[in-house]
């Protein structure tokens, strides 16, 4: 394919396939991580394939292609033929553990998971990834709720930082970076969610990809919290036994803790939106900052501070106006809330 880059220069044979990286040191790191993760995921995940043979390329983030035309490079990607993975590409960044675990899960899922559906498969891969990169999980949970809530029009919540500087003409300008959920042109209804959950893959929906991954993650975490990974696999088995191509919508929602029956106190969409939005309210965000200051500080330092020209950690904390905005529009100055978060970001 014209969009496929050349393989990285250095390669190492492993019992599971070839590892490719830019130099021997990075290749050795990849092999160690891959071998440990693959065997660990096989043990953790019921219904997984053992000893799956494929190649893994460790690349610069900007080299990973965009085969689905989503408009930006993928975080990572797994290429499969008839359900069998043959190549994984992952970026050499601070998110490597998370992304490699996610992509390996795609590759290792056995045929019993075939009725999971594309959206929930993304969520399952994110659940597994969280077990290998727990420091990223608090921020990832916020991202999941921001992205999924925005599908239903609740797109106020976000995290933002600013940098003021003079341009070439001496004019003062302020540059903002950050992230928030993006509401679609047409807001979702419960029927939209039903449609996407019943699709076998998310590949045909590149513009919805990020939202689908976040919604799948939200639902899978709720299902596994209630029923475990075995419970989720039982849903897949039951769906196959009863002749469904994908787990039926109502089964998914009920397993995730939503009341879909005729006697439900509140409509399912109202229950869903309330669960999506609650962690984005002012007091909920404040609790996250106070409970996970070091994890959030590390993420902020990795993800945002490096994008500010000439900012070291100390200057970033002082001058970036770090702000969490709640779903009600309230603004929380995050560096004022926690000394641990300030110190973790500076480091």
């Amino acid at each position: 394919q014209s969009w496929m880059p050349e393989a990285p220069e250095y390669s190492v044979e492993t019992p599971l396939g070839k590892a490719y990286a830019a130099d021997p040191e990075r290749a050795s790191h990849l092999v160690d991580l891959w071998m440990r993760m693959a065997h660990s995921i096989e043990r953790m995940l019921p219904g997984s394939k053992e000893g799956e043979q494929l190649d893994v390329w460790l690349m610069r983030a900007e080299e990973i292609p965009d085969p689905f035309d989503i408009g930006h490079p993928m975080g990572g990607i797994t290429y499969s033929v008839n359900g069998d993975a043959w190549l994984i590409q992952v970026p050499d960044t601070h998110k490597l553990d998370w992304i490699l675990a996610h992509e390996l899960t795609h590759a290792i899922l056995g045929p019993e998971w075939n009725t999971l559906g594309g959206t929930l498969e993304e969520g399952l891969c994110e659940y597994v990834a969280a077990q290998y990169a727990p420091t990223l999980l608090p921020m990832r949970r916020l991202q999941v709720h921001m992205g999924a809530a925005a599908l239903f029009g609740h797109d106020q919540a976000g995290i933002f930082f600013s940098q003021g500087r003079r341009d070439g003409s001496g004019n003062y300008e302020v540059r903002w970076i950050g992230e928030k959920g993006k509401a679609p042109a047409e807001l979702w209804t419960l029927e939209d969610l039903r449609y996407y959950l019943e699709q076998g893959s998310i590949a045909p929906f590149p513009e919805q990809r990020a939202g689908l991954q976040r919604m799948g993650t939200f639902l899978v975490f709720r299902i596994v919290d209630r029923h475990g990974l075995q419970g989720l696999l039982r849903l897949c088995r039951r769906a196959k036994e009863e002749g469904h191509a994908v787990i039926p919508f109502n089964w998914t929602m009920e397993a995730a803790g939503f009341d879909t029956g005729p006697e439900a106190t509140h409509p399912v969409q109202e229950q869903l939106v309330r669960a999506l939005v609650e962690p984005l309210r002012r007091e909920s965000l404040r609790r996250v900052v106070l409970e996970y200051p070091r994890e959030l500080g590390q993420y902020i330092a990795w993800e945002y501070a490096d994008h500010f020209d000439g900012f070291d950690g100390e200057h970033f904390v002082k001058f970036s106006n770090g702000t969490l905005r709640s779903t009600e529009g309230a603004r929380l100055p995050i560096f004022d809330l926690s000394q641990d978060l300030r110190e973790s970001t500076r480091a």
Side-chain angles (χ1 to χ4, degrees):
Q1 298 287 350
S2 60
W3 42 258
M4 180 68 78
E6 293 290 327
E9 181 176 352
Y10 194 82
S11 66
V12 177
E13 291 278 0
T14 82
L16 299 180
K18 272 190 177 182
Y20 290 80
D23 58 59
E25 181 181 353
R26 298 311 294 160
S28 176
H29 177 72
L30 175 61
V31 169
D32 179 60
L33 193 61
W34 175 14
M35 296 302 106
R36 286 189 290 109
M37 272 189 183
H39 296 307
S40 176
I41 293 170
E42 288 171 7
R43 291 192 299 269
M44 175 177 63
L45 191 63
S48 61
K49 295 183 281 190
E50 295 184 6
E52 188 73 352
Q53 295 289 310
L54 47 82
D55 292 345
V56 180
W57 296 6
L58 183 62
M59 310 165 69
R60 294 198 306 271
E62 62 272 16
E63 292 177 331
I64 294 180
D66 177 18
F68 302 112
D69 295 322
I70 62 174
H72 57 80
M74 306 282 285
I77 186 166
T78 298
Y79 301 88
S80 301
V81 176
N82 297 324
D84 293 322
W86 61 275
L87 173 63
I88 287 174
Q89 294 170 332
V90 288
D92 196 359
T93 71
H94 68 275
K95 298 178 183 176
L96 175 59
D97 288 28
W98 184 291
I99 295 174
L100 181 58
H102 177 113
E103 300 303 333
L104 285 172
T105 303
H106 280 302
I108 289 171
L109 286 176
E112 287 187 297
W113 292 97
N114 285 353
T115 54
L116 187 60
T119 298
L120 292 187
E121 181 173 328
E122 289 297 322
L124 176 57
C125 293
E126 287 290 273
Y127 177 85
V128 173
Q131 315 312 307
Y132 296 92
T135 58
L136 296 177
L137 183 56
M139 188 63 208
R140 185 58 178 160
R141 279 191 178 273
L142 289 180
Q143 292 167 328
V144 163
H145 282 268
M146 289 175 191
L151 298 173
F152 295 90
H154 297 269
D155 62 350
Q156 287 297 308
I159 185 168
F160 307 98
F161 304 89
S162 67
Q163 180 184 27
R165 57 186 176 184
R166 301 280 179 188
D167 64 17
S169 303
N171 299 314
Y172 191 75
E173 60 181 16
V174 177
R175 173 190 175 215
W176 288 88
I177 63 169
E179 56 190 297
K180 62 187 287 291
K182 182 180 179 182
E186 293 187 19
L187 300 182
W188 280 25
T189 67
L190 204 63
E191 289 309 304
D192 293 305
L193 178 59
R194 180 192 301 271
Y195 171 77
Y196 287 118
L197 286 180
E198 292 178 350
Q199 303 306 304
S201 170
I202 69 171
F205 313 105
E207 293 183 0
Q208 304 281 4
R209 188 180 188 88
L212 292 173
Q213 187 181 76
R214 283 155 175 72
M215 182 59 72
T217 303
F218 167 75
L219 291 170
V220 167
F221 268 81
R222 287 180 64 96
I223 293 170
V224 174
D225 285 348
R226 288 163 173 77
H227 307 285
L229 290 169
Q230 285 285 1
L232 183 56
L233 182 56
R234 282 195 296 271
L235 282 180
C236 292
R237 290 169 174 161
R238 179 184 165 199
K240 182 179 180 181
E241 290 167 0
E242 298 190 18
H244 300 286
V246 176
I247 299 169
F249 174 76
N250 279 3
W251 297 8
T252 296
M253 300 306 286
E254 290 164 4
F258 298 108
D259 187 350
T260 65
E263 304 300 320
T265 307
H266 300 283
V268 178
Q269 183 164 326
E270 183 180 325
Q271 299 174 50
L272 172 66
V273 170
R274 183 181 300 169
L276 288 171
V277 167
E278 184 57 37
L280 304 176
R281 298 193 185 280
R282 183 182 187 280
E283 284 307 308
S284 299
L285 293 177
R286 185 174 180 275
R287 282 196 299 272
V288 169
V289 172
L290 295 178
E291 289 177 15
Y292 303 102
R294 296 189 182 281
E295 293 88 342
L296 292 175
Q298 286 181 15
Y299 183 90
I300 290 167
W302 288 330
E303 196 72 8
Y304 299 116
D306 283 349
H307 292 281
F308 279 63
D309 298 336
F311 268 39
D312 58 21
E314 183 69 30
H315 282 81
F316 187 81
V317 168
K318 280 186 177 181
F319 302 117
S320 68
N321 298 305
T323 301
L324 267 173
R325 188 172 68 199
S326 75
T327 193
E328 311 100 324
R331 296 174 181 271
L332 285 76
I334 54 178
F335 292 128
D336 292 346
L337 294 177
S338 168
Q339 175 68 22
D340 284 343
L341 188 145
R342 293 194 296 272
E343 291 178 356
S344 184
T345 304
R346 290 187 186 112

